[in-house]
Amino acid sequence: MTQDLRLAVAAELERARARTALLTDAVDDADLVRQHSPLMSPLVWDLAHVGNQEELWLVRDVGGREPVRRDIDELYDAFKHPRRDRPTLPLLGPAEARRYVATVRDKVLDVLDHARLEGQPLLDRGFAFGMIVQHEQQHDETMLATHQLRSGAPVLAAPAPPAAAAPVTGEVLIPGGPFTMGTSTEAWALDNERPAHQVDVPAFFIDRAAVTNGQYAAFIDAGGYDDPRWWSPAGWQRRQSAGLAGPRHWQRDGDGWAATTFGRTARVVEDAPVVHVSYYEAEAYAAWAGKRLPTEAEWEKAARHDPATGRSRRYPWGDDPPGSQHANLGQQHLQPAAAGAYPEGVSPYGVHQLIGDVWEWTSTDFHGYPGFAAFPYREYSEVFFGPDYKVLRGGSFGTDRSACRGTFRNWDYPIRRQIFSGFRCARTA
Ligand SMILES: [Fe+2]
């Protein structure tokens, strides 16, 4: 049992590192150290930061080994240096950063061989290793977002996602009643997903698919960006100050729209989810459509609750980990798939593609669940709780399966749109 777990952990560490290598080897050294947007770190910062977190938690804390590079801890502490300032730091260069992460990984694999994966909460079922796997995969998604902001010739390529098996439109009624939100049993769930608790959700309708490019274009063409009626006061202020006129990376193309994706410009796909919209834009679209954004609890009930058994599933399709037939995850396709492309991933209520494709904005502020306990450190989630951040759910095409579950919670500022964010609508029944 423990040997199986060790092998599984090692394979997940290796899979994350292969993705990191792909994203950092795709560009030359000048591109690695360059800041492509003040919103993002230079890619070489992400690379060494991934290694530094791995060193802190697994080499020093779990392994009790001597530090590899204690002198660089401060440089790679995300709380000490905002992204905007990171290019001015005396960072490790590309070759040095690569050597550093390889040295740390060698030690970690040795620690893994000797660690007792039970007995204490930090190591129970490999949690600390799982946390580091997820951390690296989260940075891989961040690095993919940096690639999207980079200018120059395309360096990433992937096959197109599957087409829709059958079109998915309309909404479903989710009857009122309690369901189990969050988890107390998922081995690698993070502190903010815990504990499992009952939530009574009144009846509501939710869209079977995320809002598509075609639907969103109709909102723009109807003058949605020029009508303050659809916008919250904060949203309208942002729309004005930032001069928003459509999703980030969109441009007019005759009577339609084109978007630039990882350096390639093409017409937007009508029936694929809109991506790179802020919370404020999502909120305005929903108001224009006579709907609203779902709450986080509504989203999770639509995704996990099985009315036949009364229990909550790990994923919309069941308890099996995500496969390529279930969801568009893991940077296998570098764009969202059309509504209806993953019929095997449907939830018991008939809601499609809740996992993968685009992160979905919810109307809920990021807070701890009843009974929340910070673990293993306050800075993982708790310092972000409050009204400044909105919760996003479900993961995107850029999210790895190890960092995405039916309970997984992401959060960001409502103005953000460099992330792979979209949304679906709901309304009160
Ligand atoms: Fe980090």
Side-chain angles (χ1 to χ4, degrees):
M1 184 62 188
T2 303
Q3 190 54 23
D4 286 352
L5 180 56
R6 274 183 228 283
L7 289 171
V9 166
E12 288 298 280
L13 286 166
E14 171 53 31
R15 216 162 51 75
R17 187 53 47 85
R19 176 62 49 190
T20 303
L22 190 155
L23 291 165
T24 50
D25 293 348
V27 292
D28 61 21
D29 283 3
D31 247 17
L32 276 179
V33 303
R34 183 175 299 142
Q35 188 170 44
H36 298 281
S37 157
L39 292 173
M40 310 307 278
S41 316
L43 291 167
V44 78
W45 185 91
D46 288 283
L47 176 61
H49 165 80
V50 157
N52 185 240
Q53 286 290 302
E54 186 168 324
E55 182 191 344
L56 289 171
W57 285 101
L58 300 181
V59 176
R60 295 188 212 169
D61 202 354
V62 172
R65 311 280 174 95
E66 283 300 301
V68 181
R69 289 287 303 259
R70 196 199 294 281
D71 59 310
I72 62 172
D73 290 352
E74 201 268 347
L75 291 176
Y76 295 101
D77 183 337
F79 288 92
K80 295 230 167 84
H81 306 285
R83 285 179 178 176
R84 158 181 312 279
D85 300 341
R86 290 174 192 167
T88 64
L89 301 170
L91 302 177
L92 302 189
E96 214 180 348
R98 288 184 171 113
R99 270 198 306 277
Y100 171 61
V101 300
T103 301
V104 169
R105 179 57 57 87
D106 281 349
K107 290 181 188 295
V108 163
L109 293 177
D110 191 58
V111 169
L112 177 62
D113 274 343
H114 297 93
R116 277 173 51 94
L117 301 177
E118 58 191 14
Q120 49 165 310
L122 189 61
L123 282 178
D124 185 38
R125 293 182 288 166
F127 175 80
F129 293 89
M131 179 177 76
I132 289 302
V133 164
Q134 292 177 74
H135 179 255
E136 181 159 356
Q137 290 285 9
Q138 285 162 6
H139 276 273
D140 288 347
E141 181 166 0
T142 301
M143 288 196 279
L144 188 68
T146 303
H147 270 272
Q148 170 64 356
L149 293 166
R150 170 186 165 273
S151 54
V155 295
L156 298 177
V168 171
T169 57
E171 54 189 9
V172 295
L173 173 66
I174 314 282
F179 88 107
T180 302
M181 186 171 185
T183 178
S184 300
T185 55
E186 190 72 44
W188 289 3
L190 301 162
D191 60 0
N192 63 60
E193 300 167 65
R194 301 170 185 270
H197 57 289
Q198 292 287 112
V199 179
D200 201 348
V201 184
F204 66 102
F205 289 95
I206 191 163
D207 288 358
R208 296 178 70 219
V211 170
T212 65
N213 289 318
Q215 290 169 325
Y216 201 83
F219 166 61
I220 303 174
D221 293 342
Y225 275 79
D226 301 316
D227 194 336
R229 257 188 311 167
W230 312 128
W231 299 72
S232 62
W236 184 249
Q237 189 186 23
R238 179 65 185 174
R239 181 262 167 260
Q240 298 291 78
S241 64
L244 303 181
R248 187 159 187 161
H249 308 295
W250 277 33
Q251 61 226 47
R252 271 283 176 203
D253 181 38
D255 59 352
W257 293 94
T260 303
T261 306
F262 303 110
R264 295 182 184 83
T265 301
R267 292 282 284 209
V268 300
V269 179
E270 288 274 313
D271 61 348
V274 68
V275 60
H276 297 301
V277 289
S278 64
Y279 173 84
Y280 291 135
E281 290 166 298
E283 190 183 48
Y285 173 95
W288 171 78
K291 299 183 181 184
R292 58 174 173 77
L293 296 178
T295 66
E296 185 183 14
E298 287 172 340
W299 188 97
E300 188 168 326
K301 186 175 181 183
R304 298 182 61 216
H305 183 62
D306 180 356
T309 62
R311 66 177 280 274
S312 289
R313 298 172 164 192
R314 296 178 68 205
Y315 300 94
W317 53 85
D319 293 342
D320 291 342
S324 59
Q325 74 280 25
H326 293 128
N328 181 10
L329 288 168
Q331 307 184 16
Q332 300 306 299
H333 314 290
L334 292 175
Q335 56 186 315
Y342 290 91
E344 290 185 53
V346 72
S347 82
Y349 287 115
V351 184
H352 286 248
Q353 284 157 280
L354 288 145
I355 301 291
D357 297 302
V358 291
W359 285 103
E360 299 183 20
W361 288 109
T362 75
S363 62
T364 300
D365 295 342
F366 187 46
H367 282 293
Y369 291 152
F372 170 83
F375 180 78
Y377 63 128
R378 276 195 75 237
E379 285 71 20
Y380 187 77
S381 315
E382 192 175 8
V383 295
F384 300 99
F385 290 166
D388 292 346
Y389 296 93
K390 292 293 182 186
V391 173
L392 300 108
R393 284 304 203 93
S396 77
F397 64 86
T399 311
D400 186 74
R401 64 172 188 255
S402 65
C404 187
R405 295 168 284 279
T407 55
F408 191 91
R409 311 171 75 197
N410 187 6
W411 63 92
D412 216 327
Y413 291 118
I415 62 169
R416 287 290 188 243
R417 44 193 227 149
Q418 89 279 8
I419 54 176
F420 303 110
S421 51
F423 63 103
R424 76 179 68 218
C425 295
R427 63 189 176 94
T428 304

